[in-house]
Amino acid sequence: MNVITRFAPSPTGYLHAGNYRTALFAYIFSHQNKGSFILRIEDTDKDRSKKEYEDNIIDSLNWLGLKYDKMERQSDRADIHAKYIQKLIDSGHAYISNEIERQKINDAKLGESTDGESSKNIKKASRDTVIRFKNPNKKVVFEDLIRGHIEFDTTELDDFVIARSLNEPVFHLAVVIDDAEEGITHIIRGEDHISNTPRHILLYEALGFVVPQYAHIPLLLSTDRSKLSKRKGALPITEYRQRGFMPEAVINYLSLLGWHPSDEREILSLEDIIKDFSLERVQKSGAIFDEEKLLWFNRGYIAKLTDDQFSSQAQTFIPEWLHTHSDQFKKLIPLLREKIGTFGDIQKLFDANGELAFINTIYNYDSSMLLWKKNPDPIIAKKHLEESYKTLNEKAESEFTPDIIKQALWPYAETNGKGDVLWPLRIAITGQERSPDPFTSISLIGKEKTLQRIDTAIKKLS
Ligand code: GLU
């Protein structure tokens, strides 16, 4: 079978991780089956659909690397929809319903009088005429590829509305016509559409189309298990790009929300996922979207980048002057890598002058911080700092690279205790307990500042 899947978002707002996970699963499934993947913008709700949201959807899919083979806009297909609506009317599957009459009949059935109040409601609530589907009131049965056997008695759906006029199909009809015309074989979508499926199947049957396979994916939940919403951390996916997440990490994480590979692997490329994916391994219960976990993946992906790759991804986040000082920037890469979860975090490491914050300003620290906790003796700490000062003073400015500094200090540290020697040095240079290793810090601040800071520390201990 030539598999064709689609992603059919409505451009009525910014889409979040849950929507793109749906797109991802549809994309993966089509690729796994060497089929195609279609993007359909469902923009028939003219009041709520906006170009800005449509652009954002396209932008997001591009960023994530989910290429579609074809794109269509539902609003461009009005003529086709009208043709099918007419066909349904002509074949007796649908009819033009006088809504005012219908309301009267319903009210009468309920034994209510059509007093002033309810006729006011009618005028407010509906149009004079709409097009309704003549419900055969039967049981609809389908095998969902994720949820299994589903039965639904459609009687309760009544003669549901399929269009407000020939030119205004509602979602249920437009989606069926477009999916059928495109030959969509597998409809992979969010579980919130499961209750719409019986209507859709009735329409497929009435139009004489082959009913596709359905796979309804469980919803994404916030960490407190409520439905993922904007307020609860469901950002537009492009915001992750702005914050400096890597699309590979986002894809990897999204794929594991409600799905797991056949083995223990956690780090998977899109290619790996396509090879191993199976709808049977998609779970039925909701999956939790946790930004902390996403950050963990992102760190992992950042760690794997070569220095060149790191450098090119970091460009938009580093201060102006570093763009023209690539040697300086290269020195910083190991340190930045260690400190950031996203490339956007780089910005927090620099102060307003574009200087690395911890280098430019030395934090005011208490002399007790200079003491190594396993041997808190100020006389020893002072002696080691004096020794480090002497060693570093003998080096030329050009020798202030992490490697040369380490070679210079290491033998003394090994003989006299690494903690005893390097701890006071670390504090002397940065004033912080959590800081890069002292060799890196020393190379970054250079000879003059290094000696000044060690001197200050010695005085504190005197
Ligand atoms: N346009 C619908 C939505 O955004 C999706 C329709 C579907 O996937 O069948 O919810």
Side-chain angles (χ1 to χ4, degrees):
M1 182 183 11
N2 184 22
V3 167
I4 308 177
T5 66
R6 47 56 159 194
F7 178 46
S10 306
T12 53
Y14 291 109
L15 306 189
H16 59 60
N19 307 107
Y20 290 103
R21 185 196 49 163
T22 305
L24 173 64
F25 283 11
Y27 174 93
I28 293 168
F29 190 76
S30 74
H31 276 253
Q32 182 171 55
N33 291 285
K34 313 229 172 328
S36 40
F37 172 66
I38 292 174
L39 169 64
R40 182 172 59 243
I41 302 290
E42 302 213 315
D43 56 349
T44 41
D45 184 339
K46 292 187 186 69
D47 297 332
R48 292 173 58 224
S49 297
K50 293 217 166 74
K51 180 76 168 59
E52 165 193 356
Y53 299 136
E54 178 185 312
D55 290 346
N56 186 264
I57 292 167
I58 293 167
D59 198 16
S60 304
L61 291 172
N62 284 338
W63 179 62
L64 291 170
L66 302 180
K67 286 202 188 70
Y68 39 85
D69 301 294
K70 181 175 172 185
M71 174 191 155
E72 62 193 18
R73 227 175 256 111
Q74 202 154 50
S75 59
D76 293 338
R77 302 169 55 81
D79 292 350
I80 299 167
H81 299 145
K83 186 184 89 187
Y84 282 106
I85 296 170
Q86 191 59 54
K87 191 175 160 192
L88 284 170
I89 295 172
D90 293 347
S91 62
H93 286 104
Y95 59 90
I96 298 171
S97 161
N98 181 324
E99 291 297 283
I100 300 184
E101 283 307 312
R102 182 183 163 89
Q103 187 66 45
K104 275 189 198 152
I105 294 165
N106 282 346
D107 284 351
K109 267 195 211 151
L110 288 168
E112 288 174 19
S113 64
T114 46
D115 56 23
E117 192 52 36
S118 71
S119 51
K120 233 197 291 164
N121 284 343
I122 295 166
K123 288 226 175 64
K124 244 194 325 187
S126 57
R127 307 192 172 199
D128 291 357
T129 61
V130 296
I131 298 162
R132 288 185 178 270
F133 180 66
K134 202 163 167 34
N135 189 341
N137 296 328
K138 57 181 255 191
K139 198 162 85 181
V140 164
V141 175
F142 66 101
E143 300 296 323
D144 190 276
L145 293 171
I146 294 167
R147 309 206 58 99
H149 186 78
I150 294 178
E151 282 188 18
F152 200 95
D153 182 359
T154 61
T155 310
E156 64 186 67
L157 299 176
D158 207 351
D159 285 354
F160 54 90
V161 176
I162 55 171
R164 283 178 254 287
S165 71
L166 274 189
N167 297 313
E168 296 168 286
V170 304
F171 159 68
H172 300 298
L173 183 64
V175 79
V176 165
I177 293 170
D178 293 343
D179 282 338
E181 281 238 319
E182 283 299 350
I184 304 297
T185 57
H186 292 77
I187 295 188
I188 299 173
R189 62 182 173 188
E191 199 180 68
D192 45 336
H193 284 292
I194 208 160
S195 60
N196 295 327
T197 306
R199 281 187 190 84
H200 299 177
I201 292 177
L202 290 179
L203 290 168
Y204 270 96
E205 290 174 350
L207 288 162
F209 292 136
V210 181
V211 180
Q213 303 255 24
Y214 285 95
H216 286 95
I217 302 175
L219 296 182
L220 280 197
L221 307 172
S222 307
T223 42
D224 64 3
R225 300 202 73 86
S226 62
K227 195 176 164 225
L228 196 63
S229 66
K230 274 211 185 104
R231 217 162 38 83
K232 295 251 172 72
L235 301 171
I237 214 82
T238 39
E239 217 153 290
Y240 292 100
R241 174 179 58 190
Q242 273 158 30
R243 287 168 61 195
F245 279 84
M246 288 175 60
E248 295 86 347
V250 176
I251 287 282
N252 193 159
Y253 179 56
L254 288 183
S255 78
L256 297 176
L257 294 174
W259 173 79
H260 61 88
S262 54
D263 53 25
E264 297 297 304
R265 277 175 306 165
E266 260 192 309
I267 302 297
L268 299 152
S269 67
L270 187 51
E271 225 170 274
D272 296 334
I273 302 164
I274 290 170
K275 275 198 198 120
D276 196 38
F277 188 77
S278 130
L279 282 173
E280 283 89 64
R281 259 183 277 117
V282 174
Q283 71 192 33
K284 292 190 183 66
S285 53
I288 291 174
F289 179 78
D290 181 357
E291 207 181 282
E292 283 301 314
K293 268 248 171 91
L294 175 57
L295 268 171
W296 181 85
F297 277 95
N298 206 56
R299 277 206 187 86
Y301 276 85
I302 289 179
K304 284 197 305 186
L305 294 175
T306 63
D307 279 4
D308 282 346
Q309 289 167 331
F310 185 97
S311 168
S312 75
Q313 301 233 20
Q315 288 307 309
T316 46
F317 300 101
I318 60 178
E320 206 47 50
W321 68 272
L322 267 184
H323 287 277
T324 46
H325 291 75
S326 60
D327 281 356
Q328 281 275 44
F329 181 57
K330 280 224 176 77
K331 265 196 194 176
L332 286 175
I333 290 177
L335 179 138
L336 297 179
R337 230 189 245 277
E338 182 188 303
K339 288 204 155 220
I340 62 171
T342 69
F343 283 98
D345 289 344
I346 291 178
Q347 288 166 329
K348 298 181 209 151
L349 298 174
F350 291 90
D351 61 22
N353 303 320
E355 296 275 0
L356 265 185
F358 70 89
I359 284 174
N360 205 28
T361 40
I362 169 126
Y363 294 79
N364 196 13
Y365 60 91
D366 193 84
S367 64
S368 64
M369 259 173 78
L370 289 162
L371 306 182
W372 175 234
K373 52 185 176 302
K374 290 191 185 148
N375 189 12
D377 184 337
I379 297 180
I380 292 180
K382 189 172 160 225
K383 184 179 127 222
H384 293 327
L385 282 172
E386 282 165 352
E387 202 56 45
S388 300
Y389 186 101
K390 229 165 61 201
T391 310
L392 293 168
N393 198 16
E394 282 160 13
K395 295 283 159 202
E397 178 71 60
S398 62
E399 292 176 296
F400 273 61
T401 69
D403 287 346
I404 296 177
I405 299 298
K406 186 172 178 178
Q407 273 171 29
L409 295 170
W410 199 247
Y412 181 79
E414 280 208 304
T415 321
N416 295 280
K418 279 178 239 155
D420 290 280
V421 175
L422 299 178
W423 180 261
L425 189 58
R426 169 191 293 263
I427 303 299
I429 299 300
T430 66
Q432 283 177 296
E433 294 189 357
R434 285 179 56 89
S435 52
D437 72 80
F439 317 117
T440 306
S441 304
I442 287 170
S443 78
L444 286 168
I445 66 171
K447 184 170 180 178
E448 194 189 323
K449 274 192 181 147
T450 297
L451 295 180
Q452 265 169 20
R453 288 182 188 185
I454 297 176
D455 190 49
T456 307
I458 291 168
K459 290 200 177 103
K460 275 185 194 256
L461 289 171
S462 301

